[in-house]
Amino acid sequence: MKIYYLLMPLMLFGCNSIEERQLIESTPTAENILITNVDVFDGEDSVLTANQYLLLEGGIIKSITTNLPDTVGLSAHTINGFGKTIIPGLIDAHVHLSGSGAVPWDNYRANESYNLQAYLHTGITTVYDLGGLSKGLEELTEKVKEQTLVGPDIFHTHIPITVKNSHPIPLTEIMLPWPLKTMVNTISPTIEAVDEADDLIADYLENEVDFVKLICDQIPPGSPQMTYEQMKALISAAHKNKKKVFVHIGSPENAVNAIKAGADVLAHGVWRGQLTKEQAEFIARSKVPLIYTLSGFENITHIHHGDYTPTRLDSIVVPHEILSPVLGENGKHVHNQEVMNAFFESAAENKKYWKQNFRLLLEAGAVIAVGTDSNLPGTYAGSTYLQELELLKEYGLSNFEILKAATTTNANLFLKSPDFGSVKVGHKANLILLDRNPIEDLTTLESPSLIIKNGKLISRISY
Ligand SMILES: [Zn+2]
């Protein structure tokens, strides 16, 4: 048993917990469902296929037809889809289920099952966890699979590999009580010499993981960051073991180096510094997707300035205890948090480059994926995802491009032939039924008519 599993109960010690609240209700078993006369957005095509019949059997999309399918002998629950649009369940490609979203000056323990409910409440039926203890994440993954816990399907990594005193170590330290804060450097997998890479990856893969995560960034600015050589050695060791690698990046140089070192996915866009046209073209040509996470970065700049306001959905879904310490003037408490403040301040200073960076990447044809980095201060399970979609639109993506990124692009980030992320026969019945065509009106996602997860009807509890 690894030392961090022994430390887990201690890590939770000293943090307050939040009262459980219910956001969704689910039917007990997967039903056979027939959706009649519905328009289909399959996740790929910009033109909807009108008036289709979808038959869902045992949690799988059994058929998609233009005529009423034969359901003799099958007891199917019928849903009238006339005038509505069905789309694939959404995917959040960057989450941390074991984050609470609380700030260090008013800390609360994460409630993973609540987080899972919050994602599903927004129509997110799959999440990729980009950093947490693999053992705990695997337990959640299994519970969702066995259907003893209601939530999106989970794919996950372990604690990201980094270098000593580099992200996420300084930020994690401030979230933990003494003496745990003194142990973070020991617990985090770190690389020094390049020839340690094979052993480090072998060790990492003793944990149950779907992909590998590395960090190459400076949070706070000036802290050590992983070198190109270290990244290259780790990525090739992971690839030898047939694992894809997600690399957290910050600057244009980080992005270019990660791609040259063989990264499969960039976690975050360029948030630190100004991209040149050449760098943007290099990133685009590589076809390595960027999970941009605009909302988290935008929100921390507001928290820093003391003018953060939550979205309508944040106010419904995020517990008051988590939200209130960052609202408006309260957010300025961050100025007393040395490490966190340096990070938030540098985000605020770099904000002037973000739209231009994004525009250069779009013009060059870069692949954009959708994720939130929730839960951290300013980015919350489910609700922030809709803010992310809105910001992607403000930054220049079309509704169709956003919907495609949130479904098929995300589904193909690391899996060869995923059985989710599009409306196709044989795929999981993870679907959202919407009142309007989201390609024309993205805001229809705020109030889905119906959410279906593995063939089960999910109803949203309203507050
Ligand atoms: Zn993250």
Side-chain angles (χ1 to χ4, degrees):
M1 180 174 286
K2 300 251 164 66
I3 182 169
Y4 29 77
Y5 297 140
L6 297 169
L7 290 171
M8 253 320 261
L10 280 171
M11 287 181 177
L12 298 171
F13 181 76
C15 294
N16 305 315
S17 57
I18 289 167
E19 212 185 306
E20 185 90 36
R21 208 161 51 111
Q22 210 183 341
L23 286 174
I24 50 168
E25 269 172 340
S26 153
T27 49
T29 50
E31 289 184 73
N32 300 320
I33 299 171
L34 176 67
I35 307 171
T36 60
N37 259 308
V38 71
D39 299 341
V40 178
F41 168 66
D42 65 0
E44 275 163 283
D45 200 335
S46 63
V47 181
L48 303 187
T49 318
N51 300 103
Q52 298 293 295
Y53 291 83
L54 258 76
L55 182 61
L56 315 178
E57 250 186 80
I60 304 290
I61 303 173
K62 176 80 183 196
S63 65
I64 307 169
T65 50
T66 41
N67 296 311
L68 187 68
D70 182 8
T71 53
V72 175
L74 189 79
S75 68
H77 175 81
T78 303
I79 294 165
N80 181 2
F82 183 73
K84 297 185 194 267
T85 303
I86 198 128
I87 71 164
L90 303 167
I91 301 161
D92 190 332
H94 189 156
V95 309
H96 299 280
L97 293 172
S98 41
S100 71
V103 290
W105 62 90
D106 200 357
N107 213 347
Y108 285 90
R109 175 189 309 177
N111 182 337
E112 285 101 340
S113 67
Y114 185 79
N115 288 346
L116 290 171
Q117 282 192 58
Y119 289 112
L120 205 46
H121 179 268
T122 320
I124 296 164
T125 51
T126 309
V127 295
Y128 302 161
D129 193 301
L130 262 58
L133 292 169
S134 151
K135 190 167 185 280
L137 292 171
E138 191 52 27
E139 279 167 16
L140 292 174
T141 307
E142 288 306 314
K143 281 184 186 165
V144 171
K145 263 189 207 156
E146 291 160 5
Q147 313 204 1
T148 50
L149 194 61
V150 186
D153 294 325
I154 305 165
F155 295 91
H156 66 87
T157 184
H158 182 50
I159 305 173
I161 303 175
T162 185
V163 293
K164 286 236 179 302
N165 297 311
S166 179
H167 185 65
I169 295 167
L171 276 182
T172 313
E173 280 172 341
I174 62 166
M175 299 300 285
L176 293 177
W178 190 88
L180 288 172
K181 54 168 86 256
T182 62
M183 300 174 192
V184 185
N185 253 318
T186 327
I187 296 168
S188 298
T190 54
I191 184 166
E192 261 182 90
V194 165
D195 60 12
E196 295 168 2
D198 284 327
D199 287 347
L200 194 59
I201 290 292
D203 215 29
Y204 198 80
L205 297 182
E206 275 178 30
N207 303 287
E208 195 84 43
V209 297
D210 297 297
F211 45 84
V212 171
K213 166 103 179 275
L214 310 182
I215 308 263
C216 176
D217 196 1
Q218 290 189 6
I219 301 176
S223 55
Q225 69 183 8
M226 193 176 284
T227 64
Y228 164 76
E229 288 75 18
Q230 288 167 327
M231 261 193 287
K232 191 167 184 230
L234 287 166
I235 293 170
S236 62
H239 285 171
K240 271 185 247 159
N241 287 282
K242 308 226 175 329
K243 291 286 181 209
K244 300 272 187 187
V245 183
F246 289 52
V247 183
H248 166 129
I249 58 103
S251 70
E253 293 71 26
N254 295 159
V256 169
N257 281 339
I259 290 169
K260 285 185 178 162
D264 299 291
V265 180
L266 301 185
H268 305 300
V270 172
W271 71 270
R272 211 159 48 80
Q274 191 173 12
L275 265 177
T276 64
K277 196 162 176 277
E278 292 66 36
Q279 287 166 327
E281 281 166 356
F282 172 81
I283 294 168
R285 262 199 317 274
S286 76
K287 294 289 165 211
V288 173
L290 300 106
I291 311 169
Y292 227 90
T293 68
L294 294 165
S295 43
F297 283 100
E298 287 264 354
N299 290 345
I300 63 174
T301 69
H302 289 295
I303 294 172
H304 180 75
H305 290 133
D307 62 8
Y308 170 72
T309 51
T311 64
R312 192 188 58 85
L313 196 60
D314 287 327
S315 312
I316 295 171
V317 172
V318 187
H320 174 74
E321 296 91 327
I322 301 288
L323 218 42
S324 97
V326 292
L327 291 186
E329 283 285 316
N330 294 349
K332 286 187 176 171
H333 267 98
V334 76
H335 300 173
N336 309 322
Q337 306 283 325
E338 204 188 330
V339 172
M340 199 179 217
N341 191 49
F343 167 41
F344 282 26
E345 196 169 81
S346 88
E349 280 164 8
N350 280 283
K351 188 175 170 173
K352 56 181 180 283
Y353 304 126
W354 294 349
K355 280 199 173 146
Q356 165 79 349
N357 287 349
F358 197 87
R359 199 174 56 82
L360 285 176
L361 286 166
L362 280 195
E363 280 170 6
V367 181
I368 306 294
V370 186
T372 57
D373 211 3
S374 51
N375 286 288
L376 289 168
T379 170
Y380 309 105
S383 53
T384 297
Y385 194 87
L386 293 187
Q387 188 193 0
E388 184 70 21
L389 303 188
E390 231 171 76
L391 279 169
L392 286 168
K393 184 170 176 157
E394 190 187 312
Y395 273 60
L397 284 186
S398 71
N399 289 353
F400 166 65
E401 288 167 329
I402 291 168
L403 289 161
K404 189 178 174 202
T407 56
T408 44
T409 305
N410 272 2
N412 288 291
L413 279 192
F414 71 96
L415 291 167
K416 265 217 177 78
S417 42
D419 60 353
F420 60 92
S422 47
V423 183
K424 267 192 193 144
V425 172
H427 272 213
K428 279 184 185 159
N430 291 346
L431 301 160
I432 314 178
L433 187 66
L434 299 165
D435 290 335
R436 296 184 297 282
N437 175 358
I439 298 174
E440 286 163 8
D441 179 4
L442 212 51
T443 63
T444 189
L445 285 169
E446 283 174 27
S447 45
S449 167
L450 197 63
I451 296 165
I452 301 170
K453 166 74 203 311
N454 281 49
K456 288 174 151 193
L457 300 176
I458 307 292
S459 44
R460 293 149 51 98
I461 297 171
S462 46
Y463 287 94

